[in-house]
Amino acid sequence: KYKEALANYDTVLDKHQSSRWADYAQYRVGDIFLFTDKLDEAILAYQNVLSNYPASRMREKALFQLGSVYLRKKDYGPAAARFRMMLSEYPDSKARAEADLCLGSALFNAGDHEGAIEASRKAAESGPEKVKEMAAYQIARAYYGMKKDDDAAREFSAFLKQYPGSDLVPDVWFWFGEYYISKGKFEKAGESFNAILKSSAAGDIRERALFALAASKYDEKDLSGSIEKLDQFLKEFPESKVRGKALAKAAGISKSMGDMDRAVWYLKNALTTENNESNAQIQYEFAEAIEAKGMPGEAAEEYLKVPYVYPAGAFWAVRAELKCAQIFERLGKFEDAKRLYKKLAAMDVEESKLARQRIEWIGGRR
């Protein structure tokens, strides 16, 4: 009952400022704001403990909480400053290991990776097992942030051996997947992503691992395997934010394998009604696949949808109209072709020169 609690603490602060409980009341006001996600108010309340009650028995906790709130707000500089102040003033604090760990996190996110490693190592020296686990993970990430990938790989390997049951294991496997891809070791990357899929990991990490596995198989030239994983991805995560990207990728692979029917299906399902460049490109590629199937009339209709349905994709609209004009030429529909060429010729685009040449050719054939 935060509202009622806050009212009573406010009464203490209003009517009993000299009470030995006033600093505690101020501290608890900060906690209530923290619990209710009013972070700016929490900062002010904890800061009041420090400024209004400099000898308060709550000072140590207020410094820790203040650093934690800044960390939560992603204000990493102030967060690091508060944790350093607490560690300096209370070197024998029971929360020292947790403070070192939080300091390491703040420094890592502020870009001070060497400082993050130093603070995390201190946390691991005296902290409980959970703090040591987080510190080990943080050290590995810091090496990666310093672009010392081999050192990061060493630390992450040690983490997997020491904490095989950690909730962070899937994140480590994902890191290894990307690490092996950067080294061109696609089979090893696949093993790492598969380790996530075989575990009980769910949600975002599984979704990312499955998509990344499809990409690594493509890089490995295993096109059938890549399509298989993309199909699995589309089935498992139909509402994914990258669904369109997965469909477009699957379409591209299908086209390279000569399977135009499959490519058409993927592209058709990738389209949305939103007027943007991405949809313009997909519509263009959809028309291109229809054309490759030997259906020029239908392809021309689909090419014309690019400028009319997705005008925001100007680049693709111009290319589509040129393609359509060329199809009309092949079909002997010269007036339709000429109409599109005239439109292109009036534009200031690369295709204008070719359009003018085709207009002359069509006129000359008479």
Side-chain angles (χ1 to χ4, degrees):
K1 297 182 178 180
Y2 297 130
K3 185 177 180 180
E4 292 88 337
L6 188 59
N8 280 277
Y9 287 132
D10 282 342
T11 299
V12 174
L13 293 170
D14 183 43
K15 298 183 178 181
H16 307 281
Q17 290 184 2
S18 59
S19 166
R20 66 190 184 92
W21 291 103
D23 60 338
Y24 178 81
Q26 183 67 74
Y27 174 83
R28 293 301 282 170
V29 166
D31 283 349
I32 290 171
F33 285 136
L34 179 58
F35 298 154
T36 54
D37 288 322
K38 296 179 179 179
L39 302 186
D40 289 331
E41 290 88 340
I43 288 173
L44 182 60
Y46 292 132
Q47 194 64 51
N48 282 340
V49 174
L50 303 180
S51 57
N52 297 339
Y53 311 97
S56 170
R57 63 192 186 284
M58 304 307 298
R59 181 176 175 82
E60 176 188 340
K61 289 184 176 181
L63 283 168
F64 185 92
Q65 290 292 75
L66 195 53
S68 299
V69 180
Y70 277 123
L71 194 59
R72 193 161 151 185
K73 279 176 60 67
K74 299 182 180 180
D75 288 342
Y76 301 119
R82 297 317 183 278
F83 287 122
R84 278 185 167 135
M85 188 180 296
M86 179 207 150
L87 290 164
S88 175
E89 292 184 22
Y90 303 95
D92 298 322
S93 171
K94 291 181 180 180
R96 180 175 184 85
E98 288 83 353
D100 274 320
L101 183 68
C102 291
L103 174 60
S105 178
L107 293 174
F108 173 85
N109 285 288
D112 182 359
H113 299 116
E114 289 186 359
I117 290 173
E118 182 183 357
S120 298
R121 291 201 187 284
K122 288 180 180 178
E125 288 174 4
S126 58
E129 201 62 22
K130 191 63 180 176
V131 168
K132 290 181 179 181
E133 175 188 325
M134 290 299 300
Y137 180 75
Q138 208 157 258
I139 289 168
R141 287 182 68 221
Y143 276 121
Y144 175 61
M146 295 167 69
K147 302 187 184 305
K148 295 184 176 181
D149 289 1
D150 292 338
D151 289 326
R154 182 192 67 240
E155 296 293 336
F156 275 131
S157 293
F159 181 92
L160 291 173
K161 290 179 182 178
Q162 194 164 359
Y163 305 104
S166 171
D167 292 338
L168 294 168
V169 164
D171 294 271
V172 175
W173 278 121
F174 191 88
W175 182 88
F176 270 114
E178 293 189 318
Y179 170 74
Y180 287 127
I181 285 176
S182 71
K183 300 290 185 182
K185 298 180 179 180
F186 302 116
E187 188 174 345
K188 293 286 287 181
E191 291 174 6
S192 298
F193 294 131
N194 268 316
I196 297 172
L197 300 179
K198 291 175 183 177
S199 72
S200 58
D204 178 62
I205 189 69
R206 179 177 176 83
E207 179 180 341
R208 290 190 295 132
L210 188 51
F211 191 82
L213 179 58
S216 70
K217 284 189 173 295
Y218 177 80
D219 292 335
E220 198 180 344
K221 311 300 181 186
D222 181 4
L223 302 185
S224 296
S226 184
I227 283 281
E228 179 187 340
K229 292 304 174 184
L230 285 168
D231 282 339
Q232 183 182 345
F233 176 87
L234 293 166
K235 183 178 179 180
E236 284 194 33
F237 304 100
E239 304 300 322
S240 172
K241 292 180 180 179
V242 296
R243 179 177 180 274
K245 188 176 180 181
L247 285 162
K249 184 73 173 176
I253 296 172
S254 297
K255 285 167 71 175
S256 68
M257 295 172 70
D259 190 344
M260 292 303 162
D261 288 331
R262 202 168 185 176
V264 165
W265 185 89
Y266 286 126
L267 289 165
K268 186 176 181 179
N269 283 274
L271 278 170
T272 69
T273 58
E274 189 175 354
N275 177 20
N276 57 34
E277 186 171 359
S278 176
N279 273 322
Q281 180 179 354
I282 294 170
Q283 179 65 45
Y284 178 89
E285 291 179 358
F286 178 67
E288 203 172 39
I290 295 290
E291 184 180 4
K293 285 183 66 177
M295 302 166 65
E298 292 84 346
E301 290 180 16
E302 297 301 331
Y303 278 126
L304 285 176
K305 288 180 183 178
V306 178
Y308 293 123
V309 181
Y310 307 108
F315 171 80
W316 298 102
V318 168
R319 293 188 67 185
E321 288 183 319
L322 179 62
K323 278 273 197 175
C324 189
Q326 290 170 335
I327 289 175
F328 284 150
E329 266 198 73
R330 292 199 300 272
L331 294 176
K333 297 181 178 182
F334 296 109
E335 286 304 316
D336 290 332
K338 188 175 180 181
R339 174 175 50 82
L340 287 173
Y341 283 137
K342 281 185 175 181
K343 182 179 177 181
L344 292 169
M347 296 180 181
D348 184 18
V349 293
E350 186 178 339
E351 290 79 3
S352 299
K353 182 179 180 181
L354 177 59
R356 286 190 287 270
Q357 291 173 351
R358 299 315 299 165
I359 291 171
E360 289 181 13
W361 182 88
I362 291 171
R365 66 178 296 279
R366 294 183 177 181

